[in-house]
Amino acid sequence: MGSASTDDKDPLVIFTPSGKRGRFAKGTPVLQAARALGVDLDSVCGGRGICSKCQINPSFGEFAKHGVTVREDALSEWNEVEARYDRVKGLISGRRLGCQAKVMGDVVIDVPETSQVHRQVVRKEASTKPITMDPATRIVMVEVAEPDMHEPSGDFERLKDALAQQWDVHQVSAALPVLAKLQTVLRKGKWQISVALFQPDEGGVVQILEIWPNLHEGGIYGLAVDLGSTTIAAHLCDLTTGAVMGSAGIMNPQIRFGEDLMSRVSYAMMQEGGATEMTRAVREAINTLGGQIAEDAGIDPKLILETVFVCNPVMHHLLLGIDPVELGQAPFALATSDALRLSAPDLGLSTLNPQAQIYLLPCIAGHVGADAAAVALSEAPEQSEDLVLIVDVGTNAEILLGNKTKVLACSSPTGPAFEGAQISSGQRAAPGAIEHIEIDPATKEPRFRVIGCDLWSDEAGFAEATAQTGITGICGSGIIEAVAEMRAAGLLDGSGLIGSAEQTGTPRSIPTGRTHEYLIFDGTATGGPRITVTQGDIRAIQLAKSALYAGARLLMDQMDVDAVDRVVLAGAFGAHISPKHAMILGMIPDAPLEKVTSAGNAAGHGARIALCNRAARKRIEGGVRAIQKVETAIEPRFQEHFVAANAIPHKTASMPNLATVVSLPDVNFGASGGGGNDDGRRRRRRG
Ligand code: FES
C-alpha cells in the first residue's frame, strides 16, 4: 500500500466529499492514493479492473476553494481495462475506474455515493438519521497461489495467505461445508475466487461464509425481521448498498395457540410439548417468509448470509426453542438477556444459506424485549435534548421515555385491538379497509377513506374508485379515528358509552341488546358488509389505550414529570395513526400536537440498522444496560393509571394542548336509556 508523498513537487490529490488530500508520486493509482489517505473508496476485486466498485469522478478546471488547477491530463489516459469494462458493462460518462486511473497532476476526485463502502442509506420516513453502511459481511476477491509440490500446503492455507497479503485480513476460519467445496471452486475460478467474509467485531476473527469462482456479481443479502406476536415483518436488504430489495409480512402462525403473549405462555405451561409446537410453527413461518421475499425480489435465498431478529421476550424464547414459562410469573426471569450470535441451522432456518449468521438484539428485561432495544436503536432517545416519549404500538406496546440524562423503558399488554383484531368490523390494513374517518359534529354523518383510494366517501367518483376493492372493514388506524371522532361528535360520552338515537340525534345510533352501535357504512343491499362500531369495540379500544397510557404514565412517574416535550408514535401502523385522534382517545399523554410525530416501524428499522452496521450492535448491547426498566405487571401505580385512563380521553389528567385543537362535548349517556355501565362522572367542558 502506498503512502502520501512529502515531495512538494508531487501532484496534489484532493478527494471529495471527505476533503482528504495528499501528495503522491506521478503514476500512483487513484485507489492506492485513496487507501493511503483512508478515503472510503470501495473495491471487491482488489484493483484487478473487474468489479467496478472503485468508480470515481475526476473534476477539471479551476478550484479556488482548494487552491488547485486541474488540467485535462491530470489522470492517465483511459487504458485497455477501462475501455473493455466500458464496452462490456458501460461506464457512466466522466467516470473512471480508480484502480486503473493514475495520478499525473494535481487533481480533485469525487467519490460518488455508490463507490463508498460506508455509504449512507437514507430512511424513507426521514425522521431519524440515515444508516451508515458498515455490515459484518462483505465480499472480497482474491487470487490464490496454485499448489506447489516443493512447498506443500493446503488450498485453505494458501487462501488465508492470499487474504492476509491482498486484503490484510487475518484470523480466518471456515466451516466444513465451505472447506468441502473450496478445491472445486478454486479450480473452477482458475485460482481467483470471491469470498464472503463475516467479521462481527472490527479487527476480530473472520469467518468465511461462502465462496464463489471468479467475481461474484449476484450480491449478498440480509434479512431484518421484526417478529411480533401478531405479525412477522421482514425487510430483505442488500448487504453492500443497504438497499431494501423487498419487504413482506405474514401473520404469526402462533396466533392459533393464543392471541396474546400470556395466552401463549399458558399454552406452553398447560400443553405437553406446547412450547416446541410453537417454536416449530414460528420457524416454519420465517422459512416461508424468507423464501417468499427472496423469490419476489428475484434473489436466490441462499445469498441471504445474515439475519437480524427483534422480538419481545416471549417470542424471543419461542424462536430460540426455550420454554417461556418463567416469563409468565414474577420475577419474569429471561433465560438470557444478552445479544445472541447464532447460525441458521441453530434455528432450523433451512431456506437461508446454511452458513447464514443470525443476530438477536439484546433484551432489556423480562417483559421488555429486543424489540424495545431495536426501537431505542432506531429512535436514540439517549441522544435527545428534550424529553421524548416513544410508543411502539402493537399487541404489546414498547414504551421508552428519556433524554440525554436517563432512559426508561416498559412494555404494556395492549392486546391486538389496535391491529384491528377483536373489533367487530376490524381487519388488517389492506385495500378496502377504512383507514380514515370524519364525523360531522352537527349532522353526526360519517365520511371515510379506504386503503387504495385517495377520495373521501362523499366525493364524486368514490363508488367507482372502490368498486374493485369494495369497502371491507376497519383497520387499526381507522378504529382509533372512529372512536375519537365519535367522542368529538358527541356520540360517545367520557366514560365510553355510545348514546342512543334519541340522545345523540342520529338514526345511525342503533340499539343492539342493552347497548348501541354506530353505523358507519351499510353495504348489505349490494351484498357488502355492514360496518359499525359497537359498544364492545369501544371497550376493547378503551382497554388497549388504557394499557398504553398507563405504561407511559408509569414511566413519567418514575421520571418525576407531568408532561413530555414530544411523542413519537411507532409500530407497524404507527405511521398511520393520526396524532390528533390518538390524543382525543387518550392513548398518549397530552403534548403539543406538532410535537407528536410518527416513526413508522421503529423496531423493524432498528433491526435494519443492526443488520447494516455492526457498530450499532455494540452500541445497543451497551445501551440496554443503561436503560432502566420498569415492570408494569408488579407496579401498583400501573393499575391506578389504567383505571383512570379508561375514560376518553382521561378521567383526571388535564389536557391543555388537546383543548387548543378540539372542544369535546360534555355528554353523559349513562343517566337514562344508555344501558351501559357508565359511572356517572361528567367531564368538564374543554376549550
Ligand atoms: S477495484 Fe475492482 S475494478 Fe477497480
Side-chain angles (χ1 to χ4, degrees):
M1 200 65 43
S3 60
S5 165
T6 50
D7 190 337
D8 275 359
K9 293 197 189 73
D10 282 338
L12 178 65
V13 183
I14 300 165
F15 286 96
T16 59
S18 65
K20 288 182 175 164
R21 52 166 66 200
R23 290 191 179 275
F24 292 86
K26 274 188 184 174
T28 307
V30 173
L31 177 64
Q32 191 177 320
R35 286 184 168 176
L37 292 172
V39 170
D40 188 18
L41 177 58
D42 201 359
S43 160
V44 165
C45 72
R48 290 179 182 79
I50 48 178
C51 72
S52 85
K53 300 285 185 194
C54 61
Q55 291 184 30
I56 48 137
N57 258 333
S59 304
F60 304 97
E62 278 294 331
F63 292 89
K65 183 176 150 206
H66 299 303
V68 290
T69 304
V70 182
R71 293 164 32 152
E72 289 295 327
D73 59 359
L75 291 182
S76 58
E77 291 198 345
W78 269 53
N79 68 10
E80 183 42 39
V81 175
E82 289 175 297
R84 189 190 62 217
Y85 189 87
D86 190 35
R87 262 196 322 275
V88 180
K89 298 261 174 78
L91 210 49
I92 296 174
S93 165
R95 290 262 177 102
R96 300 287 306 267
L97 293 182
C99 63
Q100 302 301 315
K102 296 185 177 72
V103 176
M104 303 306 285
D106 292 352
V107 66
V108 175
I109 290 172
D110 185 55
V111 180
E113 183 91 22
T114 46
S115 299
Q116 296 171 14
V117 181
H118 303 290
R119 69 191 75 174
Q120 297 214 316
V121 186
V122 180
R123 184 182 175 184
K124 250 196 268 153
E125 294 88 344
S127 63
T128 51
K129 296 181 201 110
I131 302 174
T132 301
M133 290 305 293
D134 179 23
T137 306
R138 65 177 170 137
I139 297 189
V140 298
M141 192 178 166
V142 278
E143 189 158 0
V144 179
E146 293 187 33
D148 181 346
M149 286 255 286
H150 305 291
E151 279 181 53
S153 69
D155 283 352
F156 182 54
E157 285 63 45
R158 270 175 281 106
L159 168 58
K160 286 197 285 188
D161 288 347
L163 284 168
Q165 283 159 13
Q166 293 162 36
W167 292 99
D168 203 19
V169 167
H170 308 271
Q171 301 183 72
V172 179
S173 69
L176 189 54
V178 173
L179 289 177
K181 62 177 166 187
L182 177 62
Q183 297 203 302
T184 316
V185 172
L186 276 172
R187 282 150 185 86
K188 195 168 169 195
K190 299 200 169 47
W191 305 97
Q192 286 202 5
I193 64 170
S194 298
V195 184
L197 299 175
F198 173 69
Q199 189 179 37
D201 304 301
E202 204 176 340
V205 294
V206 179
Q207 192 180 338
I208 297 178
L209 299 184
E210 190 54 281
I211 49 175
W212 299 268
N214 300 311
L215 179 70
H216 169 68
E217 293 185 284
I220 52 171
Y221 302 91
L223 277 179
V225 184
D226 178 12
L227 176 53
S229 326
T230 308
T231 50
I232 308 174
H235 295 300
L236 177 69
C237 303
D238 183 315
L239 283 181
T240 306
T241 65
V244 176
M245 310 302 292
S247 302
I250 52 173
M251 293 300 276
N252 186 333
Q254 292 178 340
I255 283 180
R256 66 174 184 268
F257 306 107
E259 281 205 330
D260 56 30
L261 294 176
M262 281 310 123
S263 48
R264 282 182 219 166
V265 174
S266 335
Y267 186 81
M269 281 173 166
M270 313 300 285
Q271 298 290 324
E272 175 86 31
T276 314
E277 211 180 330
M278 288 189 278
T279 295
R280 193 177 326 121
V282 77
R283 289 178 177 180
E284 261 171 31
I286 294 162
N287 269 323
T288 308
L289 182 62
Q292 185 192 317
I293 200 169
E295 191 186 321
D296 291 349
I299 286 162
D300 177 357
K302 299 299 177 210
L303 292 175
I304 300 176
L305 296 184
E306 283 201 70
T307 296
V308 168
F309 283 101
V310 301
C311 43
N312 60 57
V314 175
M315 296 312 308
H316 174 271
H317 277 40
L318 287 172
L319 171 68
L320 293 171
I322 300 172
D323 194 323
V325 60
E326 290 301 329
L327 300 173
Q329 61 210 9
F332 313 108
L334 287 151
T336 174
S337 59
D338 283 349
L340 291 176
R341 292 177 186 175
L342 307 162
S343 66
D346 294 333
L347 298 183
L349 301 181
S350 53
T351 312
L352 318 180
N353 185 291
Q355 304 306 317
Q357 297 298 301
I358 310 290
Y359 180 77
L360 264 83
L361 268 75
C363 288
I364 297 176
H367 271 165
V368 190
D371 45 2
V375 172
L377 190 53
S378 168
E379 299 308 310
E382 77 287 354
Q383 292 172 16
S384 176
E385 294 286 349
D386 51 9
L387 186 63
V388 57
L389 176 75
I390 304 159
V391 183
D392 188 279
V393 188
T395 307
N396 225 49
E398 267 53 63
I399 308 169
L400 294 150
L401 174 70
N403 55 18
K404 278 190 157 164
T405 56
K406 185 157 72 167
V407 177
L408 305 173
C410 75
S411 168
S412 193
T414 43
F418 286 143
E419 297 187 58
Q422 290 175 353
I423 299 297
S424 60
S425 295
Q427 69 157 93
R428 65 186 187 86
I434 295 176
E435 60 169 345
H436 294 296
I437 179 162
E438 285 178 356
I439 300 174
D440 187 314
T443 64
K444 321 287 186 202
E445 282 299 295
R447 65 174 200 151
F448 53 84
R449 271 172 43 188
V450 299
I451 296 175
C453 175
D454 285 337
L455 296 170
W456 284 93
S457 57
D458 59 352
E459 287 177 330
F462 177 80
E464 295 74 24
T466 54
Q468 199 70 30
T469 59
I471 297 155
T472 48
I474 313 180
C475 68
S477 61
I479 191 72
I480 288 169
E481 293 194 9
V483 178
E485 285 285 316
M486 285 171 70
R487 176 73 186 95
L491 295 161
L492 196 65
D493 71 10
S495 76
L497 202 62
I498 302 176
S500 64
E502 206 179 30
Q503 288 167 322
T504 59
T506 173
R508 286 184 177 271
S509 181
I510 298 163
T512 51
R514 293 180 63 244
T515 58
H516 294 87
E517 62 182 9
Y518 176 70
L519 178 68
I520 294 176
F521 170 74
D522 189 353
T524 49
T526 52
R530 187 170 171 279
I531 298 173
T532 63
V533 177
T534 67
Q535 190 62 62
D537 296 340
I538 304 282
R539 293 296 177 226
I541 289 293
Q542 276 178 296
L543 289 178
K545 76 101 180 179
S546 302
L548 201 63
Y549 184 91
R553 196 55 239 192
L554 195 59
L555 295 189
M556 289 163 71
D557 286 354
Q558 298 275 335
M559 193 69 97
D560 206 16
V561 294
D562 268 327
V564 299
D565 297 323
R566 60 190 176 96
V567 179
V568 176
L569 286 169
F573 74 104
H576 307 287
I577 298 175
S578 134
K580 181 178 119 184
H581 293 104
M583 213 125 88
I584 294 176
L585 200 57
M587 278 174 75
I588 49 173
D590 190 66
L593 212 53
E594 70 281 5
K595 294 280 187 182
V596 184
T597 55
S598 297
N601 184 357
H605 184 67
R608 247 180 85 200
I609 297 173
L611 181 67
C612 295
N613 185 301
R614 58 188 169 168
R617 300 182 189 182
K618 284 270 164 297
R619 202 161 64 239
I620 195 60
E621 286 168 21
V624 291
R625 284 186 216 119
I627 295 175
Q628 294 179 26
K629 51 264 169 195
V630 177
E631 188 54 75
T632 52
I634 52 167
E635 281 284 346
R637 292 278 289 159
F638 180 81
Q639 202 53 33
E640 277 172 45
H641 288 312
F642 182 84
V643 172
N646 201 33
I648 300 173
H650 196 276
K651 185 179 172 191
T652 51
S654 73
M655 306 203 69
N657 288 293
L658 178 63
T660 62
V661 284
V662 63
S663 170
L664 297 178
D666 190 7
V667 288
N668 179 357
F669 303 133
S672 63
N677 58 355
D678 184 42
D679 59 8
R681 57 184 176 253
R682 297 180 68 83
R683 292 197 55 73
R684 173 171 65 86
R685 177 176 286 279
R686 299 190 181 281

